[in-house]
């Protein structure tokens, strides 16, 4: 009963603290389907420990986002994950290179710098994604997303200090099927998704998905039509035109999967391709103090970007031009089952990302070279503007009326990687082991196009260093410049055993050795001023580890505690070497399901120490003169301490109504004594402040699904999710020329995002029977309250540029699902197990049947097990074999575990009935030895079974 009281306490706390019932958009939606018999929450399966397990059995703080959750919250890329999981925020990176900024448990992963790894690591089907620029892209066929919090220092490919985000795509089912989705909405939204599953051909099955998605940007561009001539630089981009709207997106994506499956071997190939034509996000301005730039702002004749902390209808980003992102990848995953206890797995992957864009980082498009009155009677003539790119006086221009760019960027990145990981999984009665080897290689070319300036600073654009010198709108040339090239080599060996000390207590120990090497070079940004190449070289090895205890207080209650470490590799950039970022974290947690699986409640408490935190910033903002010429540099910003919690709950109030609620809290503080002097000098007496790290994040949600049919077999479903984050500072430097010793109130007001609620809702009529197809019609709205606050701030000295929360969108979804003619689904809930009779020709055996995806015993199953136990005595049985089976839906690894859980449930009931555990042998068969032969992916009720066989005794 202790766990029951604990569950009541946790559930009551969530109600009192968060208002309605239970947790997070994460767990919530995956749990939205209910057991037909009990009305309880469905099991959630995750791969947080590199093998498929029940969510509630994994000693990790995880938020699992199902396909239904992704649909309801319009989560189409990683950039849409903001606040849907406690303590996780995702914001668009500054500029237009489609680079997300992650924050998780105080770790800020925001770098697109060459060769830098991330404290919050993304994974696609088990493969680490190194590329940051261009990583906000759509995949055609996502099954679920898992957010893992805390250091991932043993099992995951490239290590992480804050956590990991896993994207899992769908396998072929082997059954003829498919669907067609259409979406239309405001802002020109149109989306079409086509999926086809082909019927199995022997051991082979295949599927393919095609996606087209387009929308108009939510902000007009007052600098639309401005043309920029790149021909004179020799660049491949030619003439570029500034777009009419900012935030446009036009994506085409395809994903194909092919699977070979036999009794003991699975081979799955997945290939994906995404092409995205887009325009950069609107860059606004929230801070423009008195000085030269403000005077030029008011003196320029063109339409101006408004200075505001709320999204305007229009900004002037004249320097911004359309961008392109292209991603493709191949993944080949092989699994071999040596026996019921040992599985080998190999993942071979190749990926490439390419991104090109030009963006107006300062938000101040439309400025021109005109006289500026700095003070009464003091006029600055055109051309006497402070310096140019790399402080090159040769680029000064005196052409009156020519465009002036304070800070613009030409960004080009091409990155490709390949990796090979071999893994072994061992599952015995006394131990579970995951161990493996990893080799990873990455090659990136970045920092802009050849022969041009990747950063344009305080520059009058008149074709300097080109044959068109003095001609406005001709981009200056930088002869001989080449982008940076960095290669990364990483090798790792890891092992994580879990020892079952008793039926309730497990000991977990993990260790990993990683060696990273990075080499390459970067050209100094101004060849005329300081010609030459800066070499890049770094090599370092690191051991990370984990130790923990798991205690099953009750079958559905897990208590755990662990100490874990993680790191992000160091490197070199902009003439500086930066050290590895390291994490040491304590975590205590409880996971429980109570009241016939109607309440799921998870609580995790953490205390983390971070050292040598890596900080990606402009070279001019490091405080180190050596980096001043570079657009981007990385420095170690010191040590920090973070403590907090994640609390996630789900309540199935009735068979029709589910409530969810979650809250995350992080108290993050820098240890000021460890901040480097250069950064201390920049931040001034107030100190280097935490930024982009809200104290509180969380969700509230509710979903209603009618139990009664409405029309043609359809059901009504309605869902609302409200995601929140607390007030958040967006910059660490809050002093100014007019307030050098205390935080400037103007900067604080311009760079602080207030407490924000983002509300998403969807209502649908689902499962409409149209004969050969089923249909769904839904209305949806994202950002229902049309929040307009800032979500990103970049302090550039005399100007603070911002990105705003995307505008409200709404529309309609229509979906058609192909229904196979011979589908057994219609009779699924009406299936009645065979009568309690020993099946011929084995009169000494009994069959116990299970609900889909469940391992708990139904009342009928308990009756059968009781009868088997009662008859064992008169038959003088000395040994029973309990063999678990599943149908063919899901992966082989998951079904092997599910069949074992079913067998263990039967064995536990036999023990309650007086059969000693020493006389019970447990066998797991997974998908093998089907009672009713079917193709892969078929929900056949008679295959979901456990067979009890009398093996010992005189009459066996």
């Amino acid at each position: 009963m202790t766990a029951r009281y604990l569950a009541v306490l946790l559930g009551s706390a969530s109600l009192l603290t968060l208002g309605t019932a239970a947790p997070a958009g994460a767990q919530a939606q995956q749990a939205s389907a209910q057991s037909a018999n009990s009305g309880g929450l469905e099991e959630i399966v995750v791969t947080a420990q590199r093998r498929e397990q029940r969510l509630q059995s994994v000693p990790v703080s995880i938020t699992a986002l199902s396909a239904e959750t992704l649909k309801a919250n319009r989560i189409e890329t990683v950039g849409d994950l903001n606040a849907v999981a406690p303590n996780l925020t995702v914001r668009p990176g500054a500029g237009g290179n489609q680079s997300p900024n992650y924050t998780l448990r105080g770790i800020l992963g925001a770098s697109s710098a060459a060769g830098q790894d991330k404290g919050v690591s993304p994974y696609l089907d088990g493969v680490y994604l190194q590329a940051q620029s261009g990583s906000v892209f759509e995949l055609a066929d996502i099954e679920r997303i898992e957010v893992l919090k805390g250091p991932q220092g043993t099992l995951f490919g490239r290590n992480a200090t804050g956590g990991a985000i896993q994207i899992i795509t769908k396998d072929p089912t082997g059954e003829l099927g498919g669907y067609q989705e259409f979406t239309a909405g405001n802002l020109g939204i149109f989306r079409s998704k086509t999926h086809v599953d082909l019927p199995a051909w022997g051991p082979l099955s295949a599927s393919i998905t095609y996606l087209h998605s387009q929308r108009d940007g939510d902000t007009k561009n007052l600098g639309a039509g401005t043309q920029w001539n790149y021909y004179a630089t020799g660049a491949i981009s030619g003439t570029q035109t500034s777009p009419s709207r900012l935030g446009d997106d036009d994506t085409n994506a395809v994903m194909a999967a092919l699977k070979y499956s036999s009794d003991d071997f699975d081979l799955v190939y997945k290939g994906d391709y995404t092409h995205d034509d887009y325009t950069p996000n609107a860059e606004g301005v929230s801070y423009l103090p008195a000085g030269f730039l403000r005077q030029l702002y008011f003196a320029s004749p063109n339409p101006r970007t408004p200075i505001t902390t709320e999204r305007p209808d229009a900004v002037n980003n004249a320097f911004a031009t359309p961008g392109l992102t292209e991603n493709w990848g191949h993944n080949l995953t092989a699994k071999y089952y040596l026996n019921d206890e040992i599985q080998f797995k190999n993942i071979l992957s190749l990926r490439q990302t390419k991104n090109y864009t030009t963006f107006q980082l300062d938000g101040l498009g439309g400025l021109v070279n005109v006289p500026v009155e700095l003070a009464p009677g003091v006029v600055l003539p055109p051309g006497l503007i402070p310096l140019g790119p790399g402080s090159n006086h040769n680029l000064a221009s005196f052409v009156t009326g020519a465009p002036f760019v304070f800070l613009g960027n030409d960004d080009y990145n091409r990155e490709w990687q390949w990796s090979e990981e071999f893994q072994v999984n061992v599952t015995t009665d006394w131990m579970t082991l995951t161990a493996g080897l990893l080799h990873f290689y990455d090659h990136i070319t970045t920092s802009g196009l050849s022969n041009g300036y990747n950063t344009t600073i305080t520059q009058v654009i008149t074709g300097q260093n080109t044959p068109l010198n003095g001609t406005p709108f001709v981009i200056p040339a930088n002869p001989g410049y080449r982008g940076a090239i960095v290669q990364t080599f990483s090798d790792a060996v890891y092992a994580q055993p879990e020892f079952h000390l008793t039926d309730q207590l497990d000991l977990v120990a993990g260790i990993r050795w990683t060696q990273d090497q990075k080499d390459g070079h970067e050209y100094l940004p101004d060849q005329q001023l300081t010609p030459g190449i800066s070499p890049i070289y770094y090599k370092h090895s690191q051991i990370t580890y984990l130790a923990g205890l798991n205690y099953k207080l009750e079958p559905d209650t897990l208590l755990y505690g662990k100490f874990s470490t993680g790191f992000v590799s160091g490197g070199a950039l902009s003439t500086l070497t930066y050290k590895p970022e390291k994490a040491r974290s304590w975590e205590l947690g409880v996971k429980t399901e109570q009241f016939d699986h109607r309440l799921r409640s998870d609580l995790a408490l953490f205390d983390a120490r971070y050292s040598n935190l890596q900080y990606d910033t402009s070279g001019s903002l490091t405080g180190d003169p050596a980096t001043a010429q570079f657009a981007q540099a990385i420095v170690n910003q010191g040590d920090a301490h973070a403590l907090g919690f994640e609390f996630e709950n789900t309540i199935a109030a009735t068979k029709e109504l589910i409530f969810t609620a979650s809250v995350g809290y992080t108290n993050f503080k820098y240890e000021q004594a460890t901040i480097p002097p250069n950064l201390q000098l920049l931040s001034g007496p107030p100190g280097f402040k935490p930024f982009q790290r809200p104290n509180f994040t969380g969700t509230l949600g509710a979903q209603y699904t009618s139990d009664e049919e409405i029309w043609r077999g359809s059901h009504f479903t309605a869902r609302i999710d409200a995601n929140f984050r607390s007030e958040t500072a967006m910059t660490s430097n809050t002093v100014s020329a007019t307030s050098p010793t205390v935080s400037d109130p103007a900067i604080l007001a311009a760079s602080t995002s207030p407490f924000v609620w983002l509300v998403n809702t969807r209502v649908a009529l689902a499962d409409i029977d149209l004969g050969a197809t089923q249909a769904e019609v839904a209305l949806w709205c994202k950002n229902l309250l049309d929040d307009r606050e800032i979500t990103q701030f970049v302090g550039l000295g005399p100007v603070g540029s911002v990105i705003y929360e995307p505008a409200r969108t709404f529309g309609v979804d229509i979906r058609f699902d192909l229904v196979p003619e011979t589908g057994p689904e219609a009779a699924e809930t009406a299936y009645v197990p065979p009568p309690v009779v020993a099946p011929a020709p084995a009169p000494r055996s009994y069959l116990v049947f299970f609900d889909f995806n469940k391992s708990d015993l139904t009342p009928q199953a308990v009756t059968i097990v009781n009868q088997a136990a009662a008859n064992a005595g008169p038959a003088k049985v000395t040994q029973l074999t309990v063999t678990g089976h599943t149908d063919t839906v899901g992966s082989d690894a998951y079904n092997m575990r599910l069949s074992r859980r079913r067998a263990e449930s039967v064995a536990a009931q036999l023990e309650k009935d007086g059969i000693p555990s020493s006389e019970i042998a447990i066998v797991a068969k997974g998908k093998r030895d089907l009672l009713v032969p079917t193709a892969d992916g078929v929900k056949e009720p008679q295959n979901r079974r456990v067979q009890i066989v009398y093996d010992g005794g005189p009459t066996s």
Side-chain angles (χ1 to χ4, degrees):
M1 294 301 293
T2 304
R4 179 68 54 92
Y5 293 137
L6 178 60
V8 172
L9 176 62
L10 295 178
S12 300
S14 68
L15 294 171
L16 292 173
T17 305
L18 300 175
T20 43
Q27 292 184 23
Q29 281 38 309
Q30 182 127 5
S32 62
Q34 302 176 12
S35 164
N37 289 337
S38 67
L41 300 167
E42 270 196 354
E43 289 183 347
I44 299 175
V45 179
V46 296
T47 52
Q49 297 189 124
R50 307 304 300 276
R51 62 184 190 274
E52 293 188 327
Q53 298 173 278
R54 291 177 61 244
L55 172 69
Q56 298 304 97
S57 299
V58 180
V60 179
S61 179
I62 310 170
T63 297
L65 305 170
S66 71
E68 286 302 312
T69 308
L70 304 179
K71 182 191 299 183
N73 287 277
R74 316 303 297 180
I75 298 173
E76 296 163 356
T77 72
V78 293
D80 298 319
L81 289 173
N82 189 27
V84 298
N87 282 331
L88 172 70
T89 62
V90 185
R91 297 181 176 85
N97 62 355
Q98 294 198 324
S99 174
N101 288 3
Y102 302 103
T103 305
L104 185 56
R105 286 194 176 181
I107 290 295
L108 175 61
S111 179
S112 58
Q116 189 188 17
D117 295 310
K118 295 173 282 292
V120 181
S121 299
Y123 290 81
L124 176 60
D125 289 326
V127 175
Y128 171 70
L129 303 180
Q130 173 78 13
Q132 182 85 347
S133 294
S135 63
V136 179
F137 65 95
E138 288 200 54
L139 285 165
D141 210 11
I142 298 176
E143 180 176 286
R144 69 181 186 276
I145 296 177
E146 301 169 7
V147 179
L148 286 64
K149 298 109 176 179
Q152 305 298 316
T154 51
L155 295 179
F156 281 87
R158 296 284 294 123
N159 240 291
T161 48
I165 298 173
Q166 287 205 91
I167 303 170
I168 296 95
T169 61
K170 296 177 182 177
D171 284 354
T173 66
E175 283 190 294
L176 177 62
Y179 60 84
Q180 173 65 56
E181 293 179 351
F182 295 107
T183 296
N186 67 326
L187 294 179
I189 291 174
F190 176 75
R191 182 180 173 91
S192 173
K193 186 175 181 179
T194 306
H195 174 82
V196 177
D197 258 303
L198 300 177
W201 184 45
L204 296 175
S205 56
S207 65
I208 189 168
T209 305
Y210 170 72
L211 169 71
H212 172 75
S213 177
Q214 65 185 57
R215 59 163 287 170
D216 297 333
D218 58 11
T219 308
K220 293 180 181 178
N221 182 14
L222 299 173
T226 306
Q227 291 191 321
W228 303 98
N229 182 351
Y230 285 84
Y231 281 111
T233 70
I236 60 174
S237 52
T239 298
Q240 296 288 307
T241 302
S242 192
S244 60
R245 301 193 71 91
L246 299 163
D248 289 355
D249 188 88
D250 189 338
T251 293
N252 289 281
V254 64
M255 182 167 188
L258 181 65
K259 181 176 182 179
Y260 172 88
S261 183
S262 65
D263 285 348
D264 56 6
F265 181 71
D266 289 339
L267 185 66
V268 179
Y269 164 78
K270 292 180 180 179
D272 65 89
Y273 174 79
T274 302
H275 181 104
D276 184 12
D277 294 303
Y278 69 96
T279 60
N281 290 317
E283 291 280 351
V285 175
S286 66
Y287 176 71
L288 190 64
F292 161 76
L293 199 57
R294 185 179 179 92
Q295 293 294 93
L296 188 63
Y297 171 86
F298 285 106
S300 296
N302 296 315
R304 297 185 292 266
T305 298
I307 303 171
T308 177
T309 58
E310 293 191 348
R311 175 179 14 91
D313 294 330
V315 299
N316 193 322
N317 285 185
F319 195 70
T321 60
L324 164 69
T325 293
E326 190 175 66
N327 286 272
W328 57 259
H330 303 280
N331 182 305
L332 187 64
T333 300
K335 300 177 184 177
Y336 174 67
Y337 302 90
L338 183 64
N339 51 45
D340 289 345
E341 296 181 338
I342 301 175
Q343 176 203 95
F344 298 108
K345 181 178 180 180
N346 194 85
I347 304 175
L348 177 64
S349 176
L350 173 67
R351 295 201 64 82
Q352 176 175 286
T353 296
K354 182 172 69 175
N355 173 257
Y356 171 72
T357 188
T358 300
F359 52 92
Q360 183 103 39
L361 187 59
D362 58 25
L364 292 173
L367 302 184
V368 297
N369 193 27
V370 295
V372 171
E373 186 176 7
L374 297 180
V378 181
V379 178
L380 181 69
L384 295 183
I385 291 174
L387 310 179
S391 302
N392 187 346
H393 297 277
N394 295 328
L395 295 181
S397 172
F398 297 90
V399 179
T400 302
F404 170 79
V405 177
F406 176 71
L407 184 56
N409 290 80
D410 294 292
D411 192 60
Y412 173 80
N413 296 276
R414 180 181 178 272
E415 187 162 8
W416 68 275
Q417 65 175 69
W418 75 271
S419 61
E420 163 73 15
E421 182 172 8
F422 177 76
Q423 189 181 102
V424 59
N425 288 286
V426 180
T427 302
T428 70
D429 292 337
W430 63 276
M431 181 198 70
T432 301
L433 170 68
T434 299
L437 307 168
L438 171 73
H439 175 75
F440 175 88
Y441 172 79
D442 181 82
H443 181 284
I444 183 172
T445 301
T446 185
S447 301
L449 295 170
S450 299
N451 299 313
Y453 290 98
N454 68 320
T455 301
T456 301
I457 305 175
T458 59
Q459 180 63 57
V460 178
I461 306 297
T462 60
Q464 301 93 319
N465 290 340
T466 78
L468 299 178
N469 188 16
T471 306
F473 302 101
V474 176
I475 300 299
N478 189 10
Y481 173 76
R482 298 291 184 271
I485 295 177
V486 178
Q487 297 183 98
T488 300
F489 305 83
S490 182
D491 293 284
V493 182
Y494 61 88
Q496 184 167 306
E498 183 176 319
F499 301 99
H500 310 310
L501 304 181
T502 70
D503 290 342
Q504 293 177 285
L505 183 64
D506 294 338
L507 171 66
V508 183
I511 190 167
R512 183 187 192 94
W513 174 83
T514 304
Q515 179 171 277
D516 295 307
Q517 179 177 321
K518 301 177 183 181
D519 59 55
H521 61 266
E522 55 186 333
Y523 282 71
L524 298 178
D526 188 340
Q527 296 301 300
Q528 294 187 13
L529 186 67
T530 49
I533 294 176
S534 173
I536 293 173
Y537 183 78
Y538 173 85
K539 188 173 183 179
H540 179 79
S541 60
Q542 184 75 37
I543 292 177
T544 48
Y545 54 90
L546 174 149
L549 288 173
N550 308 329
Y551 181 70
K552 277 279 188 181
L553 185 63
E554 289 183 351
D556 292 311
T557 300
L558 172 69
L559 306 178
Y560 69 90
K562 64 179 179 178
F563 177 78
S564 58
T565 64
F567 84 106
V568 175
S569 65
L573 195 69
S574 304
T575 74
L576 297 182
T577 298
Y578 54 93
K579 299 177 182 178
E581 175 179 293
K582 299 180 181 180
R584 296 172 292 123
S585 176
W586 289 94
E587 183 173 326
L588 299 175
V590 56
K591 296 187 171 189
T592 188
E593 287 189 0
Q594 296 297 323
F595 308 114
D596 197 19
H597 302 284
R598 285 181 168 84
L599 167 66
R600 177 178 296 136
S601 192
D602 297 348
L603 173 66
L605 310 174
F606 67 89
D607 187 324
R609 299 277 179 174
Y610 304 124
S611 59
N612 296 320
L613 287 167
Q614 294 173 8
Y615 180 41
D616 170 34
T617 185
S618 168
S620 62
L621 298 178
T622 66
D624 190 324
T627 69
Q629 299 178 33
F630 291 87
Q632 195 170 34
I634 302 170
V635 295
N636 293 108
Q637 62 183 178
D639 303 343
H641 180 207
L643 54 86
F645 63 85
E646 290 103 22
F647 186 31
E648 305 186 60
N649 304 271
T650 307
I651 292 178
T654 69
K655 291 182 67 175
E656 298 179 320
L657 185 61
I658 291 179
F659 293 106
T660 66
S662 73
V663 61
Y665 171 75
T666 300
N667 185 349
F668 177 94
K669 292 183 178 179
Y670 287 110
E671 297 180 9
Q672 292 295 326
T674 66
I675 303 296
N678 293 332
L679 293 181
Q680 287 181 341
L681 184 64
L682 287 175
S683 57
F688 194 81
K689 295 179 176 295
F691 62 102
Q692 294 192 8
R693 296 172 171 94
N695 289 128
F696 286 95
T697 55
T699 66
L700 291 172
Q703 177 166 311
Y704 172 80
T705 303
S706 66
D707 195 38
E708 298 294 328
E709 294 183 1
I710 296 177
W711 174 69
R712 299 185 68 92
S714 64
H715 298 268
F716 174 76
T717 180
R719 179 192 177 92
I720 186 167
D721 292 277
N723 309 316
F724 66 87
R725 66 175 183 266
S726 59
E727 181 178 282
T728 310
M730 293 293 179
T731 183
S732 59
N733 298 330
T734 57
V735 296
S736 65
T738 58
S739 182
T741 58
V742 297
S743 295
D744 188 334
I747 294 181
L748 291 177
S751 64
T752 300
S753 175
F755 193 102
V756 168
W757 283 97
L758 297 176
V759 181
N760 307 318
T761 186
R762 189 175 191 267
V763 295
L765 192 63
D767 305 322
I768 305 170
D769 187 358
L770 300 179
T773 62
Q774 282 190 337
E776 177 181 282
V777 179
L779 300 175
W780 57 269
C781 185
K782 184 174 183 179
N783 190 6
L784 178 67
L785 305 180
D786 197 22
D787 179 81
R788 307 173 74 92
E789 305 295 340
I790 65 171
T791 188
Q792 180 68 269
F793 176 92
V794 180
L796 300 172
V799 62
S801 65
V802 291
I803 297 175
Y804 303 95
E805 197 69 52
R808 173 173 52 212
T809 52
F810 52 85
V812 59
D813 293 335
I814 300 176
R815 172 172 169 142
F816 300 95
D817 284 87
L818 176 65
V819 179
E821 293 181 6
T822 58
E825 294 296 311
E828 180 68 28
T829 58
Y831 175 75
V832 178
V836 183
V837 176
R844 312 300 292 175
S845 68
Y846 298 81
L847 288 178
V848 179
F849 292 89
F850 291 80
D851 291 332
F852 175 69
N853 205 30
K854 303 288 282 187
S855 60
D856 52 323
L857 299 177
T858 64
Q860 299 97 319
V862 172
T863 300
I864 297 172
V865 176
N866 291 346
Q867 189 170 25
N871 293 341
K876 299 182 180 179
V877 173
T878 60
Q879 186 69 37
L880 291 85
T881 298
V882 178
T883 305
H885 300 266
T886 68
D887 58 23
T888 59
V889 176
S891 70
D892 297 288
Y894 172 66
N895 280 299
M896 186 63 70
R897 294 293 298 158
L898 178 59
S899 66
R900 178 173 291 276
R901 292 199 302 272
R902 287 173 173 170
E904 290 170 346
S905 296
V906 171
Q909 185 63 39
L910 288 170
E911 291 182 44
K912 289 182 181 179
D913 292 336
I915 306 296
S917 60
S918 60
E919 296 180 5
I920 303 173
I922 295 176
V923 177
K925 290 287 189 178
K927 296 181 181 181
R928 287 176 281 174
D929 299 341
L930 300 175
L931 186 62
V932 178
T934 71
D936 199 34
V938 177
K939 294 181 179 180
E940 171 52 55
Q942 294 190 65
N943 287 334
R944 304 194 292 263
R945 71 198 191 281
V946 166
Q947 186 171 19
I948 306 170
V949 177
Y950 296 165
D951 287 332
T955 60
S956 65

